[in-house]
Amino acid sequence: MKKNLLHLWLFMLMAAVSFSCSDDDDKTPETIKLEDSWKDGWSSQKVLDIAKGQRPAPSVYLDQKYIDFHLAQFNGGATYLVTKSSLDKYGRDTLGYPDNTQFVMTKAEMDAMLTKTAKDISKIETELGIPAGSWKGQEMVRISISDPKALNVRVPSGNEMGANSLWLPGGHLPTGYSEAVINKIPKGKYTETPL
Amino acid sequence: MKEIAKEAWNYTFSEQHPGDYILSVVCGGAGLYDFVIRLTSAQIAAYEREGIPYISRLAEEVRYDQTPFNAQKA
């Protein structure tokens, strides 16, 4: 009898613990979706309707939780692709657009994309939304930044020099890869490797 | 080819032959590429009127959307 009561008590204790652990408030979600992160009254289209140069900071229209989650993906490093001829032409002392911005992808997504495309340049162009043939016959270089936080990694506002007519608010390329912006990159803060 | 103006990681403006102007613009985000155009006679006239500030503005337009400049691709 005593044994049965003990079993019953243990069962109730385990059920209570299980119930407590299933409480959604205590869960750290694996992902925070952009579509769930717009502040009241804002949408992607509303941001796009504002002219480049006058768009607000992402913190105006996106929840801070989303911004933190998005930028945490760059803790493992940031990276981008460029032609060797551009590096030869413009120099290696400081990289990035004159407005102190440079778009980057996460190291993990770049690694996965290069594996997926087997480094086929025309496939990489498609994945990144680069006009077909832009890199044909070019020597390509991968620029890697191990500590993007030190270069003020941030969600793009759409006002950056590199933001074109296809730019989308929220830190993703039209093809889905995560992107962010960092400051200009001085020599010593990046590594250059042939693709 | 005579280089007339260059701003690092923005554009290079050159004269290939007398009166034949080429503008190479740095475009893109996580993948950077050059988009190179040959200036039309109207653009050359604007350059002759306004100088390098016009070229700088033209580079910005090219970088934002290359579609209108596809026919000028060099």
Side-chain angles (χ1 to χ4, degrees), chain B residues 31-56:
Chain B
L32 291 180
Y33 59 96
D34 286 327
F35 194 86
V36 186
I37 62 165
R38 173 167 281 111
L39 267 60
T40 63
S41 50
Q43 289 164 343
I44 292 169
Y47 161 61
E48 286 170 347
R49 241 186 356 260
E50 299 176 44
I52 293 302
Y54 169 74
I55 296 301
S56 192

Side-chain angles (χ1 to χ4, degrees), chain A residues 80-81 86 89-91 94-98 102-103 105 130-131 135 161-165, chain B residues 6-12 24 26-34 63-66 73:
Chain A
Y80 71 97
L81 301 179
S86 286
K89 182 161 65 170
Y90 294 121
T94 306
L95 309 184
Y97 282 111
Q102 174 60 52
F103 279 86
M105 282 172 65
I130 306 293
W135 287 336
M161 276 180 78
N164 63 19
S165 59
Chain B
K6 180 163 90 173
E7 187 180 4
W9 301 106
N10 186 356
Y11 68 84
T12 305
S24 173
V26 178
C27 299
L32 291 180
Y33 59 96
D34 286 327
R63 185 178 300 112
Y64 187 70
D65 185 5
Q66 288 102 63
K73 213 170 167 184

Side-chain angles (χ1 to χ4, degrees), chain A residues 103-115:
Chain A
F103 279 86
V104 288
M105 282 172 65
T106 70
K107 178 188 179 297
E109 288 187 3
M110 179 70 87
D111 289 345
M113 187 273 286
L114 293 175
T115 301

Side-chain angles (χ1 to χ4, degrees), chain A residues 24-44:
Chain A
D24 282 342
D25 290 344
D26 294 341
K27 251 188 187 173
T28 302
E30 284 179 14
T31 183
I32 298 177
K33 291 180 179 171
L34 176 61
E35 59 259 38
D36 301 329
S37 304
W38 293 95
K39 288 187 175 175
D40 286 347
W42 284 96
S43 66
S44 181

Side-chain angles (χ1 to χ4, degrees), chain A residues 2-57:
Chain A
K2 261 187 180 178
K3 203 176 174 185
N4 283 345
L5 275 173
L6 183 64
H7 281 161
L8 182 65
W9 184 82
L10 273 172
F11 173 78
M12 286 171 69
L13 182 68
M14 284 169 70
V17 167
S18 164
F19 179 76
S20 160
C21 288
S22 71
D23 188 346
D24 282 342
D25 290 344
D26 294 341
K27 251 188 187 173
T28 302
E30 284 179 14
T31 183
I32 298 177
K33 291 180 179 171
L34 176 61
E35 59 259 38
D36 301 329
S37 304
W38 293 95
K39 288 187 175 175
D40 286 347
W42 284 96
S43 66
S44 181
Q45 194 54 54
K46 185 171 175 179
V47 178
L48 290 172
D49 285 344
I50 301 170
K52 180 178 173 179
Q54 288 164 23
R55 290 171 178 152

Side-chain angles (χ1 to χ4, degrees), chain A:
Chain A
M1 181 69 179
K2 261 187 180 178
K3 203 176 174 185
N4 283 345
L5 275 173
L6 183 64
H7 281 161
L8 182 65
W9 184 82
L10 273 172
F11 173 78
M12 286 171 69
L13 182 68
M14 284 169 70
V17 167
S18 164
F19 179 76
S20 160
C21 288
S22 71
D23 188 346
D24 282 342
D25 290 344
D26 294 341
K27 251 188 187 173
T28 302
E30 284 179 14
T31 183
I32 298 177
K33 291 180 179 171
L34 176 61
E35 59 259 38
D36 301 329
S37 304
W38 293 95
K39 288 187 175 175
D40 286 347
W42 284 96
S43 66
S44 181
Q45 194 54 54
K46 185 171 175 179
V47 178
L48 290 172
D49 285 344
I50 301 170
K52 180 178 173 179
Q54 288 164 23
R55 290 171 178 152
S59 57
V60 169
Y61 53 83
L62 292 173
D63 291 339
Q64 193 58 44
K65 267 186 183 177
Y66 172 82
I67 291 173
D68 294 343
F69 171 78
H70 185 76
L71 296 180
Q73 296 176 82
F74 291 82
N75 289 345
T79 181
Y80 71 97
L81 301 179
V82 62
T83 60
K84 183 178 173 294
S85 62
S86 286
L87 284 166
D88 293 341
K89 182 161 65 170
Y90 294 121
R92 290 166 167 82
D93 284 348
T94 306
L95 309 184
Y97 282 111
D99 70 341
N100 201 24
T101 64
Q102 174 60 52
F103 279 86
V104 288
M105 282 172 65
T106 70
K107 178 188 179 297
E109 288 187 3
M110 179 70 87
D111 289 345
M113 187 273 286
L114 293 175
T115 301
K116 180 184 168 186
T117 58
K119 298 186 180 178
D120 179 316
I121 290 298
S122 64
K123 288 179 183 168
I124 296 172
E125 285 174 344
T126 305
E127 290 291 322
L128 298 185
I130 306 293
S134 296
W135 287 336
K136 193 179 177 184
Q138 299 257 21
E139 272 185 74
M140 296 302 300
V141 168
R142 176 176 178 172
I143 301 295
S144 301
I145 301 99
S146 59
D147 185 11
K149 260 189 189 170
L151 294 170
N152 187 25
V153 67
R154 53 203 183 270
V155 176
S157 68
N159 295 320
E160 300 81 7
M161 276 180 78
N164 63 19
S165 59
L166 301 174
W167 176 81
L168 295 172
H172 289 98
L173 295 174
T175 52
Y177 292 101
S178 303
E179 65 176 3
V181 165
I182 57 174
N183 289 349
K184 287 203 276 192
I185 314 146
K187 205 171 187 173
K189 295 281 184 189
Y190 70 89
T191 57
E192 171 188 341
T193 46
L195 201 60

